[in-house]
Amino acid sequence: DAKAEGRNTWHWFEGLSPTINSEYVTMRRELMEAIEQQQFEVHYQPIIAATSGRIRGVEALVRWRHPSRGLIAPGQFIPLAEQTGQIVAIGQWVLQRACADIATWNRQHSQELTVFVNISPLQFRRYGFLQEIQRALEESQLAPELLELEVTENVLMSGTGRAIETLGEIRDMGVRVAIDDFGTGYSSLRYLRELPINKVKVDRSFITDITDNSGNAAIVQGIITMAHHLGLRVVGEGVETPEQAQDLEQRGCDFLQGFLFYRPMPLADLHPAIASGKRHAR
Ligand code: C2E
Ligand code: MG
Ligand code: MG
Ligand code: MG
């Protein structure tokens, strides 16, 4: 999608025509092997409640443990996987892994963290997606309310009728939906009102200079105010400084996510990180 292509530029075959680029062919083959051999890992980044500073959930973020290139960030292979359709298999694996990981983690630590899972446009539109969700929930025994799917605005805007139908069915399952990177796509205020969604995640690009760009500050305030009127909660993405956190909290932002609090980490680090009280003091 436009969002992914604009921001997650990958470098292996930039500027070359995909069909004649041998690197493209190599990487597609390597991705195929990666899927077969399960070379992917899911890391988790905590999302905290703005006022209490307590962790309320984690976002699942995929990484590729490449046999020779090491750990590869999603921006370097998700766009290609979108083009080739391989994102469907990868996304399905991430969904199952993330539900299983957090269900187990919650049981072990007597907690109720929500797991946020990114869903690609292709995955969302695919016939059988609802059964995929159902299966992930059944196998993991995760409560549906603890699963929140992240989709971008553009997914919801294109083929709107069907998208709204799918969202309704997801809601009927008890699963929640957040709009990711909000403000970067074709934001329509009308569709926000009509869609059965729970949260908007304000894109990092608005947060980065929120304290010295009055235009972006106004946009963020507008999003928060509007979202609250519509009964939605708001997550601020990419919070890196205490000033940004304080600004967002004062504007009524409900949840915060960013390097200021925690970076994405392997599941095994989650409990130590939380227990060490590396939580942002407020
Ligand atoms: P996203 O869903 O918007 O995820 C947030 C991204 O921002 C993550 O990058 C995260 O590490 C990064 N981030 C979080 N806090 C900060 C901060 O304070 N500063 C900065 N500079 N960055 C921060 P990551 O893990 O590299 O993922 C990039 C994108 O790849 C994601 O953006 C998402 O669009 C996509 N992605 C990741 N995992 C999946 C997946 O399982 N499926 C699909 N379809 N897409 C995925
Ligand atoms: Mg996301
Ligand atoms: Mg995001
Ligand atoms: Mg993003």
Side-chain angles (χ1 to χ4, degrees), residues 3 59-61 116-118 150-151 180-181 201 237 257:
K3 164 244 160 184
E59 179 172 2
L61 294 158
F116 293 75
V117 180
N118 293 284
E150 297 193 6
V151 295
D180 203 359
D181 306 329
K201 299 188 76 176
E237 291 192 302
Q257 178 182 5

Side-chain angles (χ1 to χ4, degrees), residues 221-268:
Q221 185 63 69
I223 293 172
I224 293 171
T225 304
M226 178 185 63
H228 284 170
H229 276 295
L230 298 173
L232 307 174
R233 315 295 294 279
V234 181
V235 184
E237 291 192 302
V239 180
E240 294 184 348
T241 71
E243 291 74 26
Q244 290 164 358
Q246 197 182 12
D247 189 294
L248 285 165
E249 191 197 345
Q250 282 167 358
R251 293 181 189 283
C253 188
D254 304 283
F255 302 99
L256 305 174
Q257 178 182 5
F259 294 169
L260 172 66
F261 305 100
Y262 301 94
R263 287 179 178 263
M265 61 186 101
L267 182 71

